Short mmCIF file of all heavy atoms in Angstrom, two decimals:
data_model
loop_
_atom_site.label_atom_id
_atom_site.label_comp_id
_atom_site.label_asym_id
_atom_site.label_seq_id
_atom_site.Cartn_x
_atom_site.Cartn_y
_atom_site.Cartn_z
N TRP A 31 163.01 21.26 73.31
CA TRP A 31 162.04 20.77 72.46
C TRP A 31 162.64 20.50 71.12
O TRP A 31 162.88 21.37 70.31
CB TRP A 31 160.92 21.85 72.27
CG TRP A 31 159.60 21.39 71.46
CD1 TRP A 31 159.45 20.11 71.14
CD2 TRP A 31 158.62 22.14 71.02
NE1 TRP A 31 158.28 20.07 70.36
CE2 TRP A 31 157.78 21.30 70.31
CE3 TRP A 31 158.33 23.55 71.09
CZ2 TRP A 31 156.54 21.74 69.70
CZ3 TRP A 31 157.16 24.04 70.52
CH2 TRP A 31 156.27 23.15 69.82
N PRO A 32 162.87 19.19 70.87
CA PRO A 32 163.51 18.78 69.57
C PRO A 32 162.67 19.14 68.38
O PRO A 32 161.51 19.12 68.52
CB PRO A 32 163.66 17.24 69.76
CG PRO A 32 163.55 16.96 71.15
CD PRO A 32 162.66 18.03 71.79
N VAL A 33 163.27 19.42 67.22
CA VAL A 33 162.56 19.60 66.00
C VAL A 33 162.79 18.34 65.18
O VAL A 33 163.84 17.79 64.94
CB VAL A 33 163.19 20.85 65.23
CG1 VAL A 33 162.60 20.90 63.84
CG2 VAL A 33 163.01 22.12 65.94
N LEU A 34 161.54 17.87 64.76
CA LEU A 34 161.61 16.61 63.83
C LEU A 34 160.83 16.93 62.63
O LEU A 34 159.54 17.06 62.70
CB LEU A 34 161.03 15.44 64.59
CG LEU A 34 162.14 14.69 65.39
CD1 LEU A 34 161.89 14.95 66.84
CD2 LEU A 34 162.12 13.21 65.11
N THR A 35 161.38 16.96 61.54
CA THR A 35 160.77 17.18 60.27
C THR A 35 161.37 16.35 59.17
O THR A 35 162.52 16.25 59.05
CB THR A 35 160.90 18.63 59.78
OG1 THR A 35 160.54 19.48 60.92
CG2 THR A 35 159.88 19.05 58.65
N ALA A 36 160.51 15.66 58.41
CA ALA A 36 160.93 14.74 57.37
C ALA A 36 160.95 15.38 56.06
O ALA A 36 160.92 14.74 55.01
CB ALA A 36 159.97 13.59 57.34
N GLU A 37 161.04 16.77 56.03
CA GLU A 37 160.81 17.44 54.74
C GLU A 37 161.42 18.84 54.96
O GLU A 37 161.61 19.24 56.13
CB GLU A 37 159.36 17.52 54.39
CG GLU A 37 158.59 17.99 55.57
CD GLU A 37 157.06 17.93 55.32
OE1 GLU A 37 156.60 17.49 54.33
OE2 GLU A 37 156.29 18.49 56.19
N ILE A 78 153.61 15.91 75.70
CA ILE A 78 153.62 15.47 74.26
C ILE A 78 154.74 14.30 74.30
O ILE A 78 155.72 14.42 74.97
CB ILE A 78 153.93 16.59 73.34
CG1 ILE A 78 155.19 17.34 73.65
CG2 ILE A 78 152.74 17.53 73.20
CD1 ILE A 78 155.56 18.40 72.58
N CYS A 80 157.04 11.92 71.49
CA CYS A 80 157.44 11.55 70.15
C CYS A 80 157.95 10.07 70.11
O CYS A 80 158.50 9.59 70.99
CB CYS A 80 158.64 12.40 69.73
SG CYS A 80 159.43 11.98 68.18
N VAL A 81 157.59 9.51 68.94
CA VAL A 81 157.94 8.01 68.78
C VAL A 81 159.40 7.71 68.89
O VAL A 81 159.84 6.64 69.20
CB VAL A 81 157.29 7.50 67.45
CG1 VAL A 81 158.09 8.04 66.24
CG2 VAL A 81 157.29 5.95 67.38
N THR A 82 160.27 8.77 68.59
CA THR A 82 161.72 8.68 68.80
C THR A 82 162.17 8.56 70.24
O THR A 82 163.36 8.66 70.48
CB THR A 82 162.46 9.69 68.00
OG1 THR A 82 162.13 10.99 68.60
CG2 THR A 82 162.10 9.72 66.51
N TRP A 84 161.35 10.62 72.89
CA TRP A 84 161.40 11.77 73.80
C TRP A 84 160.01 12.26 74.18
O TRP A 84 159.09 12.13 73.33
CB TRP A 84 162.17 13.07 73.30
CG TRP A 84 161.71 13.64 71.97
CD1 TRP A 84 162.26 13.32 70.74
CD2 TRP A 84 160.67 14.66 71.77
NE1 TRP A 84 161.64 14.14 69.78
CE2 TRP A 84 160.64 14.92 70.32
CE3 TRP A 84 159.86 15.36 72.59
CZ2 TRP A 84 159.83 15.73 69.82
CZ3 TRP A 84 158.95 16.21 72.04
CH2 TRP A 84 158.91 16.47 70.59
N SER A 116 149.38 19.03 55.43
CA SER A 116 150.17 20.19 55.55
C SER A 116 150.37 20.90 54.28
O SER A 116 150.24 20.27 53.20
CB SER A 116 151.48 19.86 56.20
OG SER A 116 151.42 19.13 57.33
N THR A 118 153.13 21.46 53.24
CA THR A 118 154.26 20.78 52.71
C THR A 118 153.91 19.44 52.07
O THR A 118 154.79 18.68 51.56
CB THR A 118 155.23 20.52 53.80
OG1 THR A 118 154.51 19.94 54.87
CG2 THR A 118 155.93 21.77 54.26
N TYR A 120 152.89 16.87 53.84
CA TYR A 120 152.91 15.83 54.86
C TYR A 120 151.47 15.45 55.21
O TYR A 120 150.56 16.28 55.12
CB TYR A 120 153.56 16.40 56.09
CG TYR A 120 153.67 15.47 57.29
CD1 TYR A 120 154.71 14.56 57.45
CD2 TYR A 120 152.65 15.49 58.27
CE1 TYR A 120 154.80 13.80 58.58
CE2 TYR A 120 152.75 14.63 59.34
CZ TYR A 120 153.79 13.74 59.56
OH TYR A 120 153.92 12.92 60.63
N GLU A 148 159.82 26.38 62.69
CA GLU A 148 160.37 24.99 62.72
C GLU A 148 159.43 24.12 63.51
O GLU A 148 159.42 22.80 63.25
CB GLU A 148 161.77 24.94 63.19
CG GLU A 148 161.96 25.28 64.62
CD GLU A 148 162.35 26.81 64.77
OE1 GLU A 148 161.94 27.66 63.98
OE2 GLU A 148 162.96 27.06 65.80
N HIS A 149 158.57 24.63 64.39
CA HIS A 149 157.65 23.71 65.12
C HIS A 149 156.35 23.70 64.54
O HIS A 149 155.28 23.44 65.12
CB HIS A 149 157.64 24.20 66.60
CG HIS A 149 158.78 23.78 67.36
ND1 HIS A 149 159.17 22.49 67.61
CD2 HIS A 149 159.77 24.50 68.08
CE1 HIS A 149 160.25 22.39 68.26
NE2 HIS A 149 160.57 23.61 68.60
N GLY A 150 156.20 24.30 63.32
CA GLY A 150 154.92 24.16 62.49
C GLY A 150 154.08 25.49 62.42
O GLY A 150 152.99 25.41 61.94
N ARG A 154 149.65 24.63 63.71
CA ARG A 154 149.91 23.18 63.64
C ARG A 154 148.69 22.41 64.29
O ARG A 154 148.00 23.08 65.06
CB ARG A 154 151.20 22.71 64.24
CG ARG A 154 151.13 22.70 65.77
CD ARG A 154 152.38 22.13 66.36
NE ARG A 154 152.61 20.80 65.98
CZ ARG A 154 153.95 20.19 66.01
NH1 ARG A 154 154.95 20.97 66.51
NH2 ARG A 154 154.00 18.92 65.75
N PHE A 162 153.59 12.12 68.55
CA PHE A 162 153.53 13.50 67.97
C PHE A 162 153.54 13.56 66.40
O PHE A 162 153.32 14.57 65.90
CB PHE A 162 154.74 14.21 68.55
CG PHE A 162 154.45 15.72 68.79
CD1 PHE A 162 153.20 16.14 69.12
CD2 PHE A 162 155.45 16.66 68.62
CE1 PHE A 162 152.95 17.47 69.36
CE2 PHE A 162 155.14 18.01 68.86
CZ PHE A 162 153.98 18.39 69.26
N TRP A 163 153.83 12.40 65.77
CA TRP A 163 153.90 12.43 64.25
C TRP A 163 152.41 12.60 63.89
O TRP A 163 152.10 12.95 62.68
CB TRP A 163 154.50 11.14 63.64
CG TRP A 163 153.67 10.01 63.40
CD1 TRP A 163 152.73 9.86 62.39
CD2 TRP A 163 153.63 8.84 64.15
NE1 TRP A 163 152.17 8.57 62.47
CE2 TRP A 163 152.67 7.94 63.49
CE3 TRP A 163 154.25 8.28 65.32
CZ2 TRP A 163 152.34 6.65 64.00
CZ3 TRP A 163 153.97 7.04 65.80
CH2 TRP A 163 153.11 6.27 65.16
N LYS A 164 151.40 12.35 64.74
CA LYS A 164 149.94 12.63 64.42
C LYS A 164 149.57 14.04 64.55
O LYS A 164 148.42 14.39 64.23
CB LYS A 164 149.11 11.79 65.41
CG LYS A 164 149.26 10.31 65.27
CD LYS A 164 148.73 9.78 63.92
CE LYS A 164 148.85 8.18 63.91
NZ LYS A 164 148.32 7.75 62.57
N SER A 165 150.58 14.94 64.89
CA SER A 165 150.29 16.45 64.99
C SER A 165 151.01 17.16 63.80
O SER A 165 152.14 17.45 63.89
CB SER A 165 150.81 16.91 66.30
OG SER A 165 150.15 16.31 67.38
N ALA A 166 150.26 17.28 62.65
CA ALA A 166 150.89 17.87 61.50
C ALA A 166 151.19 19.29 61.75
O ALA A 166 150.45 20.12 62.23
CB ALA A 166 149.91 17.70 60.32
N LYS A 167 152.48 19.62 61.41
CA LYS A 167 152.96 21.05 61.31
C LYS A 167 152.44 21.65 60.08
O LYS A 167 152.17 20.97 59.03
CB LYS A 167 154.50 21.04 61.39
CG LYS A 167 155.08 20.27 62.56
CD LYS A 167 156.48 20.69 62.99
CE LYS A 167 157.54 19.85 62.40
NZ LYS A 167 158.82 20.13 63.04
N TRP A 168 152.33 22.92 60.00
CA TRP A 168 151.85 23.75 58.93
C TRP A 168 150.58 23.11 58.33
O TRP A 168 150.40 22.95 57.11
CB TRP A 168 152.96 23.84 57.75
CG TRP A 168 154.27 24.07 58.39
CD1 TRP A 168 154.68 25.26 58.93
CD2 TRP A 168 155.34 23.06 58.49
NE1 TRP A 168 155.96 25.15 59.45
CE2 TRP A 168 156.43 23.88 59.14
CE3 TRP A 168 155.55 21.89 58.12
CZ2 TRP A 168 157.64 23.21 59.43
CZ3 TRP A 168 156.81 21.25 58.36
CH2 TRP A 168 157.88 22.00 59.08
N TRP A 183 154.13 8.66 57.45
CA TRP A 183 154.79 7.70 58.29
C TRP A 183 154.09 6.37 58.42
O TRP A 183 154.70 5.32 58.51
CB TRP A 183 154.99 8.25 59.71
CG TRP A 183 156.04 9.36 59.80
CD1 TRP A 183 155.94 10.57 60.11
CD2 TRP A 183 157.49 9.10 59.52
NE1 TRP A 183 157.14 11.30 60.07
CE2 TRP A 183 158.13 10.30 59.68
CE3 TRP A 183 158.23 7.96 59.13
CZ2 TRP A 183 159.54 10.45 59.52
CZ3 TRP A 183 159.61 8.08 58.97
CH2 TRP A 183 160.26 9.34 59.16
N1 LIG B 301 154.23 18.84 58.20
C1 LIG B 301 154.89 18.01 58.99
N2 LIG B 301 154.40 17.76 60.18
C2 LIG B 301 155.03 16.96 61.09
C3 LIG B 301 156.25 16.25 60.72
C4 LIG B 301 156.68 16.55 59.36
O1 LIG B 301 157.79 16.10 58.95
N3 LIG B 301 156.05 17.45 58.63
N4 LIG B 301 156.85 15.50 61.60
C5 LIG B 301 156.05 14.86 62.60
C6 LIG B 301 156.84 14.28 63.62
S1 LIG B 301 157.46 12.69 63.29
C7 LIG B 301 156.97 14.76 64.93
S2 LIG B 301 157.72 13.90 66.14
C8 LIG B 301 156.46 16.14 65.22
C9 LIG B 301 157.64 16.96 65.60
O2 LIG B 301 157.26 18.26 65.97
P1 LIG B 301 158.35 19.25 66.45
O3 LIG B 301 159.35 19.34 65.42
O4 LIG B 301 157.61 20.55 66.70
O5 LIG B 301 158.79 18.66 67.74
O6 LIG B 301 155.87 16.76 64.07
C10 LIG B 301 155.11 15.91 63.22
N5 LIG B 301 154.50 16.75 62.28
#
Side-chain angles (χ1 to χ4, degrees):
W31 184 10
V33 172
L34 274 108
T35 311
E37 51 186 6
I78 55 178
C80 174
V81 72
T82 62
W84 59 265
S116 303
T118 51
Y120 178 89
E148 64 269 27
H149 285 300
R154 77 176 296 160
F162 215 33
W163 90 78
K164 296 292 183 182
S165 297
K167 308 202 263 193
W168 317 292
W183 284 116

